[in-house]
Amino acid sequence: MRRLLLAGVLLSIVMARPVSAGPGEPEIAMVAAALASGAVPEVRIAAAPGPRSAAFYARTADGKVQAVRFLNRLTDGETGPVIPVPANKEQILRIGGSPGYFVAARTGLALDREAIIVLLTGEAPDGLDGLVPSGRASVPADRFFRNVAALSRHRSFIVHIVPYSISAPGIRPSLFKTSDAENIALSFERATFETVLMIADILSVETAGPLAPIMIDPAEEGGVFRFRYRSVEPASLLGDRLVKMAEGLGLKRVRISGDASVDHLRLSFQAP
């Protein structure tokens, strides 16, 4: 049985040189995405001009999502999953460590993939802490993303899915070269935000591609959701896989179009 021990998490703020979260730089990323058994995930948040709030959730390889509970070192009480993000400072957060949860391969496989899901907002973070209901240790990933989609109709935030891998004891971490992958722009027409989140989750955790963050803005533009994905497959092959993913989620009449020469794919769904 896979377990995620979230008794508390040590929060570490690194006083580093401020950086700008520009268009070519992930706003949230792993310090090291390929981990050995027993290692602790560390999440880097790039500096930005204004103060923000971030809610942290852990997506495990067994298809569940749990809230990350941070430890207040002054009171020894839990403060998570929402924490303040100060302006103009890069932060590195240890999602674990004594007495927090430890990371180890939990499926019996040589390699597990998991993710830290971060909801980042510059507004009041109301509701970001309730996506896993009180009294529940975890919820299935599809229910979690349904809750995120429902909240997005009332609150403004950006969703970051930040994947990482865990190698079993005695096995060296597998390194994925993102430089060998194509940065493909994906757009989703007549899709629900829940569907887009679930497809992004599958791409991040349930594939063998590069461990690259995905950023999704719930504020659709003209009925279209967008995000970028680093793929080891060319756009043409990725398009076929995306159609199968959507159909596996129960969607019908999924159409794919786009211009592979500019690495842009467009998925159209049956109108509700």
Side-chain angles (χ1 to χ4, degrees):
M1 176 67 68
R2 297 164 52 87
R3 294 183 60 85
L4 189 62
L5 308 179
L6 293 171
V9 178
L10 178 64
L11 172 62
S12 173
I13 301 177
V14 176
M15 303 297 292
R17 176 182 59 84
V19 296
S20 173
E25 174 188 357
E27 194 166 16
I28 299 180
M30 301 299 295
V31 173
L35 305 178
S37 176
V40 175
E42 294 182 303
V43 176
R44 177 183 286 111
I45 304 179
R52 296 165 293 170
S53 296
F56 287 77
Y57 291 86
R59 199 287 200 191
T60 55
D62 60 354
K64 301 292 183 60
V65 177
Q66 297 188 11
V68 173
R69 301 293 176 182
F70 290 95
L71 180 66
N72 186 322
R73 291 180 291 176
L74 298 178
T75 65
D76 289 331
E78 290 183 353
T79 63
V82 179
I83 63 170
V85 180
N88 300 315
K89 293 180 182 178
E90 179 187 68
Q91 282 188 291
I92 294 181
L93 308 179
R94 296 192 71 209
I95 311 298
S98 179
Y101 84 84
F102 62 91
V103 175
R106 292 179 286 276
T107 63
L109 300 176
L111 185 74
D112 280 344
R113 286 176 71 111
E114 302 192 336
I116 301 297
I117 300 171
V118 184
L119 278 59
L120 191 64
T121 181
E123 301 181 356
D126 299 345
L128 297 188
D129 58 348
L131 297 170
V132 173
S134 178
R136 295 288 302 272
S138 64
V139 295
D142 58 349
R143 185 180 305 175
F144 173 80
F145 290 123
R146 192 175 306 124
N147 293 343
V148 173
L151 183 64
S152 71
R153 293 191 285 269
H154 311 286
R155 295 287 182 267
S156 176
F157 54 85
I158 304 295
V159 179
H160 298 261
I161 301 178
V162 191
Y164 61 92
S165 67
I166 311 168
S167 297
I171 298 178
R172 296 183 62 181
S174 298
L175 299 177
F176 297 85
K177 294 182 178 180
T178 57
S179 59
D180 296 335
E182 297 293 333
N183 192 14
I184 298 178
L186 303 178
S187 58
F188 301 81
E189 298 178 351
R190 296 189 297 275
T192 66
F193 187 46
E194 176 187 345
T195 295
V196 175
L197 288 171
M198 292 177 66
I199 290 176
D201 175 66
I202 294 171
L203 290 172
S204 296
V205 180
E206 299 182 12
T207 68
L211 295 161
I214 289 178
M215 183 189 75
I216 312 169
D217 188 345
E220 60 180 357
E221 301 176 9
V224 179
F225 295 103
R226 296 179 172 86
F227 65 81
R228 302 192 73 87
Y229 173 69
R230 297 196 68 86
S231 174
V232 293
E233 299 176 330
S236 56
L237 294 180
L238 177 61
D240 293 338
R241 273 209 306 133
L242 288 169
V243 171
K244 292 178 181 178
M245 287 180 197
E247 292 174 345
L249 294 173
L251 301 171
K252 299 179 180 179
R253 299 182 186 176
V254 182
R255 295 182 298 170
I256 188 78
S257 61
D259 187 346
S261 64
V262 295
D263 293 328
H264 179 206
L265 294 176
R266 182 180 300 107
L267 274 76
S268 299
F269 297 85
Q270 181 180 18

